[in-house]
Structure formats: C-alpha cells, structure tokens
C-alpha cells in the first residue's frame, strides 16, 4: 500500500484570508501512522511498510529529488522516530529497536559501507511507542508490557522490566523525578 508525505504552504492569502495550498506529495511504501520528526530541514518519517524515510524539505526541489534515503526495518513501524546525538531511534512490530547513524546515512544514501555505529536490539514483542532518552540511556516499551533500558551508544541492555506490566504499552513512556530519583 502507498502512503504519502505532503508539503503544504500554509501562508498563502486569498481574499484577505490565509489558506493552505498543496506544494508536493511524496509517495512512500506503506501507510503513515506516525508523526514525522523534522531536524535541520529534513523530515524523518516511518511507515507501516517498515520503512524509515529521510525527506529534504528545501524549497524548489522536484518530487524525485526530495527522498534523501530510505531504510527497511524487519517489521511495520507505527511509532514516530526520535533523534538524539545524531542517531535516529525507532522500534518495529518485529520487536526490534534500532539506532541509525544520521551522518553516515547522509554520506552513504545507498546504505553501503556504513560505519559500525548502528545497532539493533531484539525485544520480545511489538514496539508501538516511541523510545525515551535520558542521558546515555534509551527506554523502550513493548506491547506485551515489558520495559527495557538500553545503552544509547551500543544498544546493550542495562536492565529489563522489574516485572511484567498488565496490559499493552502503546503510549510513550514518560520520565519524571520522584522522591527516590528518576521514574518511568
């Protein structure tokens, strides 16, 4: 199935009113269930087809020049990606959580000869929610109620759930400071 990323000009005026006008429409492989994230003029979006796309948002580009690179995960991706320290972090419905190096991907759009700075963590169930980063740790939750703390640089597990949470985790975890320190 095809999904789309749209560019809309929301600043045009007609008869004294601001109106939106479609500027472009980029087809992508799979429906888009998540919100793209934008950093330095590039939109990063995920699809239910299992793809991550990097899309150039610069003015005046032809549609075929907008896609900078795409990468295929092992399963569908429903969560929005997050970006931390030049890494794009996202999980998929295969239960895997990935760290992609944005600098390497920009330099090697074909995905060949990438440095070994990328990693994959194999979880236990669908990852529906976004990860949450705190310092050098990324927290990842799964649809079967588990939470993992991973080292941001290597993907190595620092700890797994202290116990199974009843129900499915579909919302993003939130970090907060409690009386005993940081909590999820």
């Amino acid at each position: 199935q095809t999904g789309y990323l749209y560019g809309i000009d929301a600043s045009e005026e007609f008869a004294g009113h601001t109106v939106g006008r479609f500027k472009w429409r980029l087809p992508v492989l799979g429906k888009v269930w998540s919100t793209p994230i934008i950093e330095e003029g590039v939109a990063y979006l995920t699809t239910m087809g299992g793809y991550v796309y990097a899309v150039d948002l610069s003015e005046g580009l032809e549609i075929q020049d907008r896609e900078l690179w795409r990468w295929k995960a092992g399963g569908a991706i429903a969560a929005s990606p997050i970006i931390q320290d030049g890494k794009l972090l996202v999980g998929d419905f295969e239960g895997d959580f990935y760290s992609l190096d944005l600098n390497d991907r920009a330099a090697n759009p074909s995905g060949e000869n990438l440095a070994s700075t990328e990693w994959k963590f194999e979880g236990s169930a669908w990852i529906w929610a976004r990860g949450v980063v705190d310092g050098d740790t990324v927290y990842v939750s799964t649809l079967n109620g588990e939470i993992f703390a991973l080292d941001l640089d290597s993907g190595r597990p620092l700890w797994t759930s202290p116990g199974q949470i009843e129900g499915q985790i579909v919302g993003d975890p939130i970090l907060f400071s409690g009386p005993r320190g940081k909590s999820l």
Side-chain angles (χ1 to χ4, degrees), residues 24-182:
W24 49 265
R25 179 177 86 161
L26 179 73
V28 295
L29 298 170
K31 300 293 183 188
V32 179
W33 283 19
S34 62
T35 302
I37 186 167
I38 298 172
E39 181 147 321
E40 297 181 11
V42 176
Y44 298 94
L45 75 143
T46 61
T47 74
M48 293 300 286
Y51 287 92
V52 173
Y53 284 83
V55 179
D56 191 332
L57 299 177
S58 299
E59 291 291 326
L61 290 178
E62 296 294 325
I63 196 68
Q64 67 270 13
D65 297 327
R66 291 206 175 274
E67 183 183 315
L68 299 172
W69 55 264
R70 80 176 88 154
W71 172 83
K72 178 86 165 85
I77 305 173
S80 296
I82 57 173
I83 294 177
Q84 181 73 32
D85 299 335
K87 302 171 188 335
L88 183 139
L89 304 161
V90 71
D92 69 11
F93 281 9
E94 287 293 314
D96 298 325
F97 194 81
Y98 304 90
S99 173
L100 305 180
D101 187 304
L102 294 179
N103 291 327
D104 278 358
R105 295 246 163 224
N108 301 296
S110 67
E112 297 176 21
N113 302 320
L114 291 173
S116 60
T117 55
E118 297 188 344
W119 52 260
K120 170 180 142 180
F121 169 75
E122 295 180 11
S124 58
W126 286 12
I127 298 173
W128 196 294
R130 293 185 319 162
V132 173
V133 176
D134 181 42
D136 294 333
T137 305
V138 58
Y139 298 94
V140 177
S141 58
T142 65
L143 208 58
N144 68 351
E146 288 187 299
I147 298 172
F148 298 91
L150 308 176
D151 178 79
L152 183 60
D153 290 328
S154 67
R156 180 180 51 83
L158 302 173
W159 56 260
T160 59
S161 289
Q164 192 80 18
I165 294 171
E166 285 189 38
Q168 300 169 329
I169 302 173
V170 295
D172 302 343
I174 296 174
L175 279 172
F176 65 94
S177 293
R180 295 184 181 167
K182 291 182 184 176

